[in-house]
Amino acid sequence: MAKSYKEILNEITTFIFDIDGVLTDSSVHITPEGEMLRIMHIRDGFAMKAAIESGYKVCIISGGSNEGVRIRLQNLGITDIHLGSSDKVKTFKEYVEIYNINSGHVLYMGDDIPDYHVMQLVGLPTCPQDAVAEIKTISKYISHKNGGKGAVREVIEQVMKVQGKWNTYFDGKHD
């Protein structure tokens, strides 16, 4: 019998996120110079930092490539940032092999067709509320939040609460 998403939350050790449509709302603001600007939700960033500081692995796999995004993610403590990935399945397989991660213990949040095949390889495929229909169909959990609007925070918080790490994170040293 297949496990429910709530049962799988106990097994998650690793979070993998797409950027556009997951950490952002899919909007791109283009400057007159042609630079593409994205907006990220501050609470998603806080949750990713809390996850890292609590011992989880956090990885980014995105087809997009933006140095401003890379700097933001690095400032949160994320070291596994794969931008410009044209083959997310290959990037994912290399990542789990390097760190000897059980793919069943991975939560992946994607929102669009480029995430489809890699999401089929993880224990807990998830998506924001505004993901495309094909991604919603294969997701074991659909966030109540849209991409770029707290969906990442929602899934990280759920995992950490189920594993008893959310409240212990706030032991006074993370004010």
Side-chain angles (χ1 to χ4, degrees):
M1 186 166 101
K3 293 180 183 177
S4 72
Y5 95 91
K6 288 187 178 186
E7 292 172 304
I8 298 169
L9 293 176
N10 280 310
E11 300 173 354
I12 299 302
T13 62
T14 306
F15 297 97
I16 300 178
F17 301 107
D18 179 29
I19 294 176
D20 294 322
V22 172
L23 286 167
T24 75
D25 67 359
S26 297
S27 297
V28 177
H29 301 275
I30 303 172
T31 68
E33 296 78 26
E35 185 178 359
M36 293 188 285
L37 306 174
R38 291 162 174 84
I39 297 173
M40 294 183 163
H41 200 290
I42 198 78
R43 291 185 193 137
D44 287 344
F46 174 81
M48 289 187 292
K49 186 173 182 179
I52 292 165
E53 291 177 359
S54 297
Y56 296 93
K57 292 190 179 319
V58 176
C59 175
I60 305 298
I61 301 176
S62 176
S65 184
N66 180 291
E67 281 309 302
V69 169
R70 181 186 306 278
I71 291 167
R72 164 69 176 146
L73 297 170
Q74 287 172 333
N75 287 339
L76 294 172
I78 300 171
T79 57
D80 295 297
I81 304 167
H82 304 275
L83 302 181
S85 177
S86 59
D87 185 344
K88 290 186 177 190
V89 169
K90 180 180 177 200
T91 303
F92 169 77
K93 287 181 176 180
E94 290 171 356
Y95 174 73
V96 296
E97 184 177 325
I98 288 168
Y99 291 103
N100 195 29
I101 297 168
N102 178 334
S103 62
H105 297 168
V106 174
L107 180 152
Y108 185 104
M109 182 174 272
D111 72 303
D112 207 347
I113 300 304
D115 301 303
Y116 187 88
H117 294 293
V118 70
M119 288 177 70
Q120 294 180 310
L121 302 176
V122 303
L124 187 54
T126 65
C127 68
Q129 178 62 41
D130 58 345
V132 299
E134 293 87 350
I135 296 300
K136 285 182 171 182
T137 299
I138 63 167
S139 292
K140 290 184 181 174
Y141 179 75
I142 300 171
S143 173
H144 299 286
K145 309 253 184 202
N146 286 342
K149 304 294 184 188
V152 167
R153 163 73 176 256
E154 182 188 18
V155 294
I156 290 175
E157 192 173 326
Q158 281 189 52
V159 169
M160 290 181 69
K161 281 182 175 178
V162 164
Q163 295 183 12
K165 294 183 178 181
W166 185 254
N167 291 336
T168 58
Y169 180 74
F170 304 101
D171 61 4
K173 65 180 179 182
H174 303 285
D175 296 331

